Amino acid sequence: VKTITLKKMPLERTVSVLGSLAAYDQATLSTKVPGRVARLTVDFGGPVEQGQLLAQIEQRDYQLQVQQAEAALAQVRVRLGLTPTGTDTRIDPEQTGIVRQAQALLDDARQKRERMAALVEKGFVAKAELDSAEAAYKVALSRHQDALEEIRNRQALLLQRRSELDLARQRVLDTEIRAPFDGVVQTRHASVGEYLDAGDPVFTVVRVDPLRLRAEVPERVAYKVRAGQKVRVTVEGDPHIYTGKLTRLGATINEQTRM
């Protein structure tokens, strides 16, 4: 007589389904600026690393735009009394040449008005002379205000020219297309010498480690499937058994296939 000891242990229940393996991430890389393709550093099937240079658009035109923006910025800086190539932007409007000149004329007109007022009060000159001095003072005051507004306009123009320079430099950087993540080139859409418009695709890059498995589960066994469950995957032609974890479930059932 043979005897055995009964033991309580969990009974594994499995659900067998068919599915497809897909890349974990996929990105179609496009050029942000138009231009002719100067070089390609990878080809179809080639591995890439995050940040790696994959393609470059000809930069000459965009470099000239940077030089043009730098010259425009230097011109505005000189008009504000700053060094052409400096980075300082703090300006005292009262210390600029145009405002100092207007201030000197205003001070002179004020002194003449005060002298005329004193002479009129003593009866040495006619009141018409005081009226003329008063008008000259108002004109000088208006010119002083115009000078301050002109400096403020130049300050605003300085900010605009700095922004234009930053945009021009950014366009130079945008001529380079780099890999957003580690992966493999799935498709090459362009060739060296080809002219591309902004938004035209250059490469399609996929991340193949890890892989995603997407499978459809029949409605009759769907209640057994829960997020977090272990998954064993076999691939035709490969004797290995791979393991994974169920991360997401569909929210609805397909009305046609009941999957």
Side-chain angles (χ1 to χ4, degrees):
V1 177
K2 293 183 179 181
T3 62
I4 59 174
T5 302
L6 299 180
K7 295 181 180 180
K8 185 178 180 180
M9 63 182 61
L11 179 64
E12 183 181 63
R13 296 180 179 180
T14 62
V15 176
S16 298
V17 296
L18 295 177
S20 299
L21 292 172
Y24 190 83
D25 281 321
Q26 177 174 324
T28 299
L29 309 182
S30 304
T31 174
K32 292 181 65 177
V33 294
R36 198 171 304 280
V37 179
R39 60 173 176 150
L40 301 174
T41 63
V42 293
D43 204 345
F44 167 76
V48 298
E49 297 180 355
Q50 183 177 5
Q52 178 182 343
L53 178 65
L54 306 183
Q56 188 172 55
I57 303 298
E58 291 181 354
Q59 294 184 334
R60 181 57 180 168
D61 292 344
Y62 298 102
Q63 291 171 344
L64 291 175
Q65 291 178 10
V66 171
Q67 296 177 8
Q68 185 178 17
E70 289 175 343
L73 177 60
Q75 183 180 15
V76 175
R77 289 181 59 85
V78 169
R79 294 185 65 190
L80 284 170
L82 300 173
T83 57
T85 58
T87 58
D88 56 313
T89 58
R90 290 181 297 179
I91 302 168
D92 183 3
E94 298 292 342
Q95 299 303 318
T96 57
I98 184 174
V99 175
R100 287 203 307 267
Q101 182 180 7
Q103 184 65 51
L105 296 176
L106 178 61
D107 293 341
D108 182 63
R110 182 185 296 110
Q111 293 174 1
K112 289 181 178 179
R113 184 189 64 170
E114 292 173 354
R115 286 197 298 268
M116 285 298 175
L119 294 175
V120 168
E121 184 178 357
K122 295 178 181 179
F124 292 155
V125 295
K127 189 174 182 301
E129 296 291 338
L130 177 60
D131 294 339
S132 178
E134 183 70 26
Y137 171 76
K138 292 180 179 180
V139 171
L141 181 61
S142 176
R143 289 177 178 176
H144 181 265
Q145 294 175 346
D146 290 342
L148 289 174
E149 291 178 0
E150 175 64 21
I151 293 302
R152 296 189 184 98
N153 289 335
R154 292 181 184 181
Q155 288 177 310
L157 185 60
L158 175 64
L159 296 177
Q160 179 182 347
R161 292 292 183 260
R162 289 181 59 191
S163 298
E164 292 173 353
L165 177 57
D166 291 339
L167 288 174
R169 289 172 174 170
Q170 182 60 46
R171 282 192 289 268
V172 173
L173 297 178
D174 291 339
T175 60
E176 297 180 349
I177 300 174
R178 297 183 177 273
F181 47 75
D182 296 344
V184 177
V185 176
Q186 183 184 47
T187 309
R188 190 189 76 177
H189 303 279
S191 300
V192 174
E194 183 178 353
Y195 184 87
L196 301 177
D197 289 324
D200 286 347
V202 182
F203 289 107
T204 297
V205 178
V206 295
R207 179 184 293 174
V208 295
D209 186 14
L211 289 173
R212 295 177 185 266
L213 171 66
R214 180 171 181 173
E216 293 186 337
V217 179
E219 179 184 7
R220 64 180 181 275
V221 294
Y223 69 95
K224 299 180 181 180
V225 180
R226 298 287 184 272
Q229 291 176 336
K230 293 182 179 179
V231 178
R232 290 195 296 269
V233 182
T234 59
V235 182
E236 185 176 358
D238 188 345
H240 294 88
I241 297 177
Y242 302 93
T243 59
K245 183 175 67 173
L246 186 60
T247 57
R248 280 185 294 278
L249 297 171
T252 60
I253 294 179
N254 189 299
E255 295 182 357
Q256 285 74 34
T257 63
R258 309 307 298 175
M259 304 289 278

